[in-house]
Amino acid sequence: MTAGTTPKQADLWRGTAAVCEGRIGEQSIWAVLYHQGDRLFPDELFADLFAGVGRRSVPPRIVATVMVLQRLGGLSDREAIEAFCFDARWKYACGGLPFDYPGFSHTVLVDMRARLAASARPERIFAVTVQAARQAGLVGVRRVLDSTPLYDAVATMDTVTLLGAAIRGVLKVAEEPLEAELRSVLASGEDYASLAKPQIDWDDQAARQGLVDARARDAHAVLALLQGRPLPAAVAQAARLLAAVVGQDLEQASDGSFRIARKVAADRVISTVDPDARHGHKPGARGFDGYKGHASVDPDSELVMATAATAGNVGDAAAAPGLLAELVDQVQGDPLAPTAGSAAGGGPPAPNPTAYGDSAYGAGPLLASLAAAGIDPRVKIQAAVAPKGHLTKEQFRIDLAAGTVTCPAQRTAPIVYHADPRHRHHGQASFGPACLSCPLRGQCTSAAAGRTVTITAYEAELAAARARQADADRAADYRATRPKVERKLAHLVRRRHGGRRVRVRGLGKVAADFNLLAAAVNLARLGVLGLHWTPLHGWAAV
């Protein structure tokens, strides 16, 4: 299939431009896409997605515009095509197409997403918005980071359903000879043809336990049969999923029977339909099932500069390096980038490259990486806590140069470092017997062996961050700047379908869909900022 060509000559009598011009705001996304769409999404931008010979596709510029408007409106594929057919604004945004311009199948959108995902530049639509904003001078050197829950598009399964679905998944992808061999070792008598729960008395505890044990033994039998055998990729993948389900949810009792473990595995698979989804939580909020959408926002222009998606149980700090990679490249690749105290023409000091984030980003490794990249970390650091209201770690004087820790009673203990520098307890200072006669013992510790202070590998970075956090001017700047990302995240998830609740399955597709949503929100923002094209300087803003 070759790339189609978007019509360039508007029909004054049948075109939608004559109707929409003057009725649609010049700062709306519709107007931006109509006036600048040929430069934002030219057909040539997608030329690598198509072959050199074959029948013509729907023009890529039209498809890209429909995809952007679809994500902004939270529409399904069919709803988006219907809007393109009957809403004059959609054809206007696609270049002022005639009212009778033919529609196309919703599968065209599916095909375009697949082509983008398989390409070398899957995020090109989002990249276009960032590039235009940079050229228009809208992008500074400050970034605010945050994440938001994205609820999965599948039902969370209980252990019984997970086991049945995982066994069924192996049987489904196995070829007929292997399937027959696998069924021969199923001792429970179930055929696993349906995901429906077996008809038992669910109020009978013995019946429930018997069902769990039977399905667990079937699962172990299937895995034992496949152990060590060369398997097709699909069967191997299904077997790994089955092994994960068995390992996370089951434990063996003293009598040899299997039962549901009274724990929640750290990386528990919650659905065989979407194995990438996880249990997640946000501080101060209830738990959720699915993913997290991460965003890096320029607080001055309120444009999204980078996005990422992770499983729901991944910490926010883990996604931060990828979100800030574009800022690092901008600072390190531009010799004219602002540095501390610099300003053009002797004016006020230009802002330093800065990253803002709540306490979820106050991790030692991230602080160290930001310092190495020359980025000022205005990140909130959690206050030190101690059990039972005891004296906190911050009330001890830690001297890393001398390798000692001094307690509030002015007693000093040496820091003993762990043999493995990667150990979470990088070092410890134990006061031991000195605590027995200490007058502050009741306020400090209830441990019989005395107080122990743990030293992390990033103690210096955390201590410096706490000291910076106490600065009143920095605290005021943090309070004025960081909340801007909350508003932008609210824009991203204001639609339930495709916003707060994802409309696809799998981490890769969720990440691509969230990135496309950010592109749509950016285009709407660029319209408000007055993005336009000038022959002399290219992209500019009012």
Side-chain angles (χ1 to χ4, degrees):
M1 179 182 291
T2 59
T5 304
T6 304
K8 303 294 184 182
Q9 188 70 29
D11 190 324
L12 295 178
W13 302 107
R14 297 185 300 120
T16 50
V19 173
C20 294
E21 283 288 328
R23 292 179 171 85
I24 291 179
E26 286 299 313
Q27 291 184 318
S28 69
I29 189 172
W30 315 97
V32 171
L33 289 171
Y34 169 70
H35 291 292
Q36 313 300 340
D38 286 335
R39 294 186 179 90
L40 290 168
F41 308 129
D43 295 328
E44 296 76 19
L45 179 66
F46 306 93
D48 60 300
L49 304 181
F50 298 90
V53 295
R55 65 183 179 87
R56 291 284 185 177
S57 70
V58 179
R61 192 262 191 179
I62 294 177
V63 179
T65 303
V66 171
M67 291 172 65
V68 166
L69 295 175
Q70 173 193 19
R71 295 302 293 114
L72 194 65
L75 305 179
S76 69
D77 290 344
R78 287 183 171 85
E79 289 170 334
I81 298 305
E82 183 176 327
F84 174 76
C85 290
F86 299 106
D87 190 331
R89 295 174 302 174
W90 285 61
K91 290 184 178 179
Y92 170 69
C94 290
L97 300 175
F99 284 99
D100 58 353
Y101 189 88
F104 50 90
S105 171
H106 71 278
T107 58
V108 172
L109 300 176
V110 178
D111 178 70
M112 178 61 92
R113 287 195 294 268
R115 290 173 184 268
L116 284 170
S119 72
R121 294 179 295 148
E123 298 182 351
R124 68 187 72 189
I125 295 178
F126 174 77
V128 163
T129 68
V130 173
Q131 183 180 2
R134 287 188 187 281
Q135 188 174 352
L138 297 172
V139 178
V141 290
R142 301 195 301 164
R143 299 291 183 271
V144 192
L145 310 181
D146 206 356
S147 70
T148 188
L150 302 176
Y151 304 149
D152 59 20
V154 297
T156 301
M157 297 179 174
D158 57 35
T159 301
V160 170
T161 307
L162 274 173
L163 284 170
I167 295 172
R168 182 174 182 263
V170 176
L171 296 173
K172 185 177 180 180
V173 298
E175 294 184 357
E176 189 173 341
L178 179 57
E179 181 185 359
E181 195 175 350
L182 290 170
R183 289 191 179 280
S184 68
V185 300
L186 300 178
S188 68
E190 283 196 59
D191 60 4
Y192 296 101
S194 170
L195 291 179
K197 288 186 177 181
Q199 298 299 314
I200 66 169
D201 183 0
W202 289 96
D203 293 327
D204 185 345
Q205 184 176 0
R208 295 200 308 270
Q209 291 178 345
L211 175 61
V212 171
D213 182 67
R215 288 201 165 183
R217 292 186 184 280
D218 281 352
H220 279 282
V222 167
L223 293 173
L225 181 63
L226 299 177
Q227 179 70 30
R229 298 174 61 165
L231 300 172
V235 177
Q237 182 178 0
R240 286 193 294 269
L241 180 58
L242 175 59
V245 171
V246 170
Q248 72 184 11
D249 279 0
L250 299 177
E251 63 184 10
Q252 198 163 17
S254 57
D255 61 357
S257 63
F258 291 94
R259 64 187 181 189
I260 298 176
R262 295 184 176 277
K263 61 182 178 65
V264 177
D267 196 38
R268 184 177 184 270
V269 175
I270 62 176
S271 171
T272 59
V273 180
D274 189 355
D276 293 336
R278 294 291 184 272
H279 294 305
H281 75 277
K282 291 282 289 180
R286 62 182 179 86
F288 65 94
D289 291 337
Y291 301 88
K292 282 183 182 178
H294 305 261
S296 172
V297 175
D298 181 298
D300 301 311
S301 62
E302 296 191 25
L303 291 166
V304 181
M305 303 307 299
T307 67
T310 62
N313 61 345
V314 175
D316 289 358
L323 294 175
L324 293 171
E326 56 84 21
L327 177 60
V328 174
D329 292 342
Q330 177 183 346
V331 172
Q332 295 180 348
D334 184 2
L336 300 179
T339 56
S342 68
N352 297 322
T354 309
Y356 298 80
D358 58 22
S359 58
Y361 297 93
L366 178 58
L367 294 172
S369 65
L370 292 177
I375 298 175
D376 182 7
R378 301 207 174 189
V379 177
K380 191 173 183 179
I381 306 299
Q382 289 184 342
V385 296
K388 302 179 181 179
H390 289 151
L391 298 174
T392 67
K393 182 179 177 179
E394 291 180 344
Q395 294 170 281
F396 289 71
R397 187 169 70 252
I398 301 173
D399 189 337
L400 296 176
T404 61
V405 176
T406 302
C407 74
Q410 303 305 310
R411 303 186 182 189
T412 301
I415 300 174
V416 179
Y417 290 98
H418 198 277
D420 183 0
R422 297 169 298 179
H423 195 274
R424 61 185 300 268
H425 291 164
H426 182 63
Q428 286 186 325
S430 301
F431 289 87
C435 294
L436 298 177
S437 58
C438 179
L440 300 178
R441 177 180 175 84
Q443 304 175 44
C444 187
T445 183
S446 57
R451 180 66 180 260
T452 298
V453 175
T454 299
I455 307 300
T456 73
Y458 299 95
E459 198 67 44
E461 288 81 1
L462 291 170
R466 290 191 179 97
R468 291 192 297 266
Q469 187 171 280
D471 181 86
D473 291 337
R474 293 175 66 92
D477 177 57
Y478 176 88
R479 290 193 299 271
T481 305
R482 202 207 71 81
K484 293 183 179 181
V485 72
E486 302 283 358
R487 178 167 61 250
K488 186 56 59 175
L489 289 175
H491 293 166
L492 289 168
V493 298
R494 69 184 185 273
R495 309 287 186 187
R496 182 169 180 81
H497 176 70
R500 178 64 72 195
R501 183 171 296 280
V502 300
R503 61 196 188 105
V504 291
R505 296 194 295 264
L507 181 58
K509 291 182 179 180
V510 170
D513 216 42
F514 190 69
N515 182 260
L516 182 59
L517 175 59
V521 171
N522 273 356
L523 282 168
R525 178 60 182 166
L526 287 170
V528 174
L529 295 174
L531 181 73
H532 62 280
W533 177 267
T534 61
L536 184 61
H537 300 292
W539 293 115
V542 175

Short mmCIF file of all heavy atoms in Angstrom, two decimals, residues 35-59:
data_model
loop_
_atom_site.label_atom_id
_atom_site.label_comp_id
_atom_site.label_asym_id
_atom_site.label_seq_id
_atom_site.Cartn_x
_atom_site.Cartn_y
_atom_site.Cartn_z
N HIS A 35 -5.21 25.40 9.60
CA HIS A 35 -4.23 26.34 9.05
C HIS A 35 -2.82 25.75 9.00
O HIS A 35 -2.06 26.07 8.08
CB HIS A 35 -4.22 27.63 9.88
CG HIS A 35 -5.46 28.44 9.75
ND1 HIS A 35 -5.81 29.09 8.59
CD2 HIS A 35 -6.46 28.71 10.65
CE1 HIS A 35 -6.97 29.72 8.76
NE2 HIS A 35 -7.38 29.52 10.00
N GLN A 36 -2.46 24.91 9.98
CA GLN A 36 -1.08 24.43 10.09
C GLN A 36 -0.94 22.93 9.89
O GLN A 36 0.16 22.41 10.00
CB GLN A 36 -0.52 24.82 11.48
CG GLN A 36 -0.77 26.24 11.92
CD GLN A 36 -0.18 27.27 10.96
OE1 GLN A 36 0.72 26.96 10.18
NE2 GLN A 36 -0.70 28.49 11.01
N GLY A 37 -2.03 22.25 9.61
CA GLY A 37 -1.97 20.79 9.51
C GLY A 37 -1.02 20.28 8.45
O GLY A 37 -0.34 19.27 8.64
N ASP A 38 -0.95 20.98 7.30
CA ASP A 38 -0.05 20.54 6.23
C ASP A 38 1.40 20.62 6.65
O ASP A 38 2.25 19.89 6.12
CB ASP A 38 -0.28 21.38 4.97
CG ASP A 38 -1.57 21.01 4.26
OD1 ASP A 38 -2.03 19.86 4.45
OD2 ASP A 38 -2.13 21.86 3.54
N ARG A 39 1.73 21.52 7.58
CA ARG A 39 3.11 21.62 8.07
C ARG A 39 3.34 20.72 9.28
O ARG A 39 4.43 20.21 9.48
CB ARG A 39 3.43 23.06 8.43
CG ARG A 39 3.43 24.00 7.24
CD ARG A 39 3.90 25.40 7.63
NE ARG A 39 3.93 26.29 6.47
CZ ARG A 39 2.91 27.03 6.07
NH1 ARG A 39 1.76 26.99 6.75
NH2 ARG A 39 3.01 27.82 5.02
N LEU A 40 2.31 20.56 10.10
CA LEU A 40 2.46 19.69 11.28
C LEU A 40 2.51 18.23 10.86
O LEU A 40 3.39 17.47 11.31
CB LEU A 40 1.29 19.92 12.24
CG LEU A 40 1.25 21.25 12.98
CD1 LEU A 40 -0.10 21.43 13.66
CD2 LEU A 40 2.37 21.32 14.02
N PHE A 41 1.57 17.80 10.04
CA PHE A 41 1.45 16.39 9.66
C PHE A 41 1.42 16.22 8.14
O PHE A 41 0.45 15.73 7.58
CB PHE A 41 0.18 15.78 10.26
CG PHE A 41 0.03 16.00 11.73
CD1 PHE A 41 -1.14 16.52 12.26
CD2 PHE A 41 1.05 15.69 12.60
CE1 PHE A 41 -1.29 16.71 13.62
CE2 PHE A 41 0.92 15.90 13.97
CZ PHE A 41 -0.26 16.40 14.48
N PRO A 42 2.46 16.63 7.45
CA PRO A 42 2.46 16.42 6.00
C PRO A 42 2.46 14.94 5.67
O PRO A 42 2.94 14.12 6.47
CB PRO A 42 3.75 17.10 5.54
CG PRO A 42 4.65 17.04 6.75
CD PRO A 42 3.73 17.21 7.93
N ASP A 43 1.92 14.60 4.54
CA ASP A 43 1.90 13.18 4.13
C ASP A 43 3.30 12.59 4.13
O ASP A 43 3.48 11.41 4.44
CB ASP A 43 1.27 13.04 2.75
CG ASP A 43 -0.20 13.46 2.73
OD1 ASP A 43 -0.87 13.26 3.76
OD2 ASP A 43 -0.65 13.98 1.70
N GLU A 44 4.31 13.42 3.83
CA GLU A 44 5.69 12.93 3.77
C GLU A 44 6.21 12.47 5.13
O GLU A 44 7.14 11.67 5.20
CB GLU A 44 6.61 14.03 3.22
CG GLU A 44 6.32 14.45 1.79
CD GLU A 44 5.09 15.35 1.69
OE1 GLU A 44 4.68 15.93 2.72
OE2 GLU A 44 4.53 15.46 0.58
N LEU A 45 5.62 12.99 6.22
CA LEU A 45 6.06 12.59 7.56
C LEU A 45 5.85 11.10 7.79
O LEU A 45 6.56 10.48 8.58
CB LEU A 45 5.28 13.40 8.60
CG LEU A 45 5.56 13.11 10.08
CD1 LEU A 45 6.99 13.50 10.45
CD2 LEU A 45 4.57 13.86 10.97
N PHE A 46 4.91 10.51 7.08
CA PHE A 46 4.57 9.10 7.28
C PHE A 46 4.97 8.24 6.08
O PHE A 46 4.51 7.09 5.97
CB PHE A 46 3.06 8.98 7.52
CG PHE A 46 2.55 9.86 8.63
CD1 PHE A 46 2.05 11.13 8.37
CD2 PHE A 46 2.59 9.42 9.95
CE1 PHE A 46 1.59 11.93 9.40
CE2 PHE A 46 2.13 10.22 10.98
CZ PHE A 46 1.63 11.48 10.71
N ALA A 47 5.82 8.76 5.21
CA ALA A 47 6.16 8.05 3.98
C ALA A 47 6.82 6.70 4.27
O ALA A 47 6.62 5.73 3.53
CB ALA A 47 7.07 8.91 3.11
N ASP A 48 7.60 6.62 5.35
CA ASP A 48 8.31 5.36 5.65
C ASP A 48 7.38 4.25 6.12
O ASP A 48 7.81 3.09 6.21
CB ASP A 48 9.38 5.61 6.72
CG ASP A 48 8.77 6.12 8.02
OD1 ASP A 48 8.14 7.19 8.00
OD2 ASP A 48 8.92 5.44 9.06
N LEU A 49 6.14 4.58 6.40
CA LEU A 49 5.20 3.56 6.86
C LEU A 49 4.55 2.80 5.71
O LEU A 49 3.85 1.81 5.96
CB LEU A 49 4.09 4.21 7.71
CG LEU A 49 4.54 5.04 8.91
CD1 LEU A 49 3.31 5.58 9.64
CD2 LEU A 49 5.41 4.23 9.85
N PHE A 50 4.78 3.25 4.48
CA PHE A 50 4.08 2.67 3.34
C PHE A 50 5.07 2.20 2.29
O PHE A 50 6.23 2.63 2.26
CB PHE A 50 3.11 3.71 2.74
CG PHE A 50 2.05 4.16 3.69
CD1 PHE A 50 2.25 5.26 4.51
CD2 PHE A 50 0.85 3.48 3.78
CE1 PHE A 50 1.27 5.68 5.39
CE2 PHE A 50 -0.14 3.89 4.65
CZ PHE A 50 0.07 4.99 5.46
N ALA A 51 4.60 1.33 1.42
CA ALA A 51 5.43 0.78 0.35
C ALA A 51 5.49 1.76 -0.82
O ALA A 51 4.75 2.75 -0.88
CB ALA A 51 4.85 -0.56 -0.12
N GLY A 52 6.39 1.47 -1.76
CA GLY A 52 6.54 2.33 -2.91
C GLY A 52 5.54 2.06 -4.01
O GLY A 52 5.34 2.91 -4.89
N VAL A 53 4.94 0.88 -3.99
CA VAL A 53 3.96 0.53 -5.01
C VAL A 53 2.73 -0.05 -4.32
O VAL A 53 2.81 -0.56 -3.21
CB VAL A 53 4.53 -0.49 -6.02
CG1 VAL A 53 5.67 0.12 -6.82
CG2 VAL A 53 5.01 -1.75 -5.30
N GLY A 54 1.61 0.01 -5.01
CA GLY A 54 0.37 -0.53 -4.46
C GLY A 54 -0.74 0.49 -4.51
O GLY A 54 -0.58 1.62 -4.98
N ARG A 55 -1.89 0.09 -4.02
CA ARG A 55 -3.03 1.00 -4.04
C ARG A 55 -2.84 2.10 -3.00
O ARG A 55 -2.09 1.95 -2.03
CB ARG A 55 -4.32 0.23 -3.76
CG ARG A 55 -4.42 -0.38 -2.39
CD ARG A 55 -5.71 -1.18 -2.23
NE ARG A 55 -5.81 -1.80 -0.93
CZ ARG A 55 -6.32 -1.20 0.14
NH1 ARG A 55 -6.74 0.05 0.05
NH2 ARG A 55 -6.40 -1.83 1.30
N ARG A 56 -3.52 3.19 -3.24
CA ARG A 56 -3.38 4.36 -2.37
C ARG A 56 -4.11 4.16 -1.05
O ARG A 56 -5.22 3.62 -1.00
CB ARG A 56 -3.94 5.60 -3.06
CG ARG A 56 -3.13 6.06 -4.26
CD ARG A 56 -1.87 6.77 -3.82
NE ARG A 56 -1.14 7.33 -4.94
CZ ARG A 56 -0.04 8.04 -4.82
NH1 ARG A 56 0.46 8.27 -3.62
NH2 ARG A 56 0.58 8.51 -5.88
N SER A 57 -3.49 4.63 0.03
CA SER A 57 -4.12 4.59 1.34
C SER A 57 -4.94 5.86 1.54
O SER A 57 -4.89 6.80 0.74
CB SER A 57 -3.05 4.51 2.43
OG SER A 57 -2.34 5.74 2.53
N VAL A 58 -5.69 5.90 2.63
CA VAL A 58 -6.29 7.17 3.06
C VAL A 58 -5.13 8.12 3.36
O VAL A 58 -4.15 7.72 4.01
CB VAL A 58 -7.17 6.97 4.31
CG1 VAL A 58 -7.76 8.29 4.77
CG2 VAL A 58 -8.26 5.95 4.03
N PRO A 59 -5.16 9.35 2.91
CA PRO A 59 -4.03 10.26 3.14
C PRO A 59 -3.60 10.30 4.61
O PRO A 59 -4.44 10.52 5.50
CB PRO A 59 -4.57 11.63 2.68
CG PRO A 59 -5.57 11.27 1.64
CD PRO A 59 -6.22 10.00 2.11
#
